[in-house]
Amino acid sequence: MNTADQYVKAIYLLQEMENGPAATGALADMMEVSPASANEMIGKLESRGLAEHEKYKGVTLTDEGIVRARDALQTYCIIERFLSNVLDVEEFRAEARELEPVIDGMIAERLDTIIDRNSECPDCFDPETDACEYLEVCGAEPETETEVAD
């Protein structure tokens, strides 16, 4: 996954949380970069046909951008779940963010065979908690569809 993928993933999550365009300032905060750096990348994403930016309104992803973002989010979920559920890494979120830019699709697919990813992925990711709902954190078992329905 490259930097552009991390940005489209962040824009996607912000759009989900804000139910509309992602504010440039919020994007910069999420990516831990300056607003100028975020604007520069938004311009690159626009030139690649992945995003559209409207001044004072924010940035939205194109259909192609949404596909890329969902793929990036799925890869992130795979990394996060592998670190938490398989390796029992305590600081799995920080580690997942560090590994995210260097894990390519082939490696993510191989990790996916180990974690038995849910078919809902990446829709199982909650941007508010920054986590997949199927993470096994602190020994807790993931909720099943039956438990959720009860």
Side-chain angles (χ1 to χ4, degrees):
M1 182 182 312
N2 60 34
T3 304
D5 289 335
Q6 290 175 285
Y7 268 88
V8 293
K9 181 187 81 155
I11 293 167
Y12 179 80
L13 292 173
L14 287 168
Q15 283 181 195
E16 291 290 306
M17 289 187 295
E18 297 173 5
N19 200 23
T24 306
L27 178 60
D29 290 345
M30 184 177 269
M31 295 300 297
E32 298 179 349
V33 299
S34 70
S37 293
N39 274 321
E40 182 179 342
M41 180 54 84
I42 289 168
K44 290 177 183 179
L45 295 175
E46 277 189 296
S47 70
R48 296 176 190 169
L50 299 174
E52 296 171 349
H53 183 244
E54 192 172 339
K55 206 169 194 174
Y56 305 113
K57 296 213 184 234
V59 60
T60 55
L61 295 175
T62 62
D63 290 343
E64 184 181 349
I66 291 170
V67 169
R68 287 269 300 266
R70 289 179 59 80
D71 287 346
L73 182 57
Q74 183 171 299
T75 297
Y76 179 78
C77 286
I78 289 168
I79 297 166
E80 196 176 62
R81 288 190 59 208
F82 179 77
L83 291 171
S84 176
N85 298 4
V86 177
L87 298 181
D88 200 26
V89 173
E90 191 172 313
E91 298 294 327
F92 63 90
R93 284 189 183 102
E95 293 294 331
R97 285 188 200 105
E98 291 290 321
L99 288 171
E100 183 178 23
V102 295
I103 299 291
D104 67 11
M106 181 189 71
I107 300 297
E109 285 178 22
R110 291 184 180 177
L111 292 175
D112 188 23
T113 63
I114 297 169
I115 65 164
D116 192 29
R117 179 176 42 91
N118 190 289
S119 62
E120 293 176 31
C121 188
D123 295 322
C124 57
F125 191 84
D126 180 5
E128 297 290 334
T129 62
D130 189 31
C132 170
E133 67 182 60
Y134 294 103
L135 278 173
E136 296 171 12
V137 181
C138 300
E141 291 295 317
E143 293 180 307
T144 63
E145 290 179 30
T146 308
E147 290 171 337
V148 173
D150 291 340

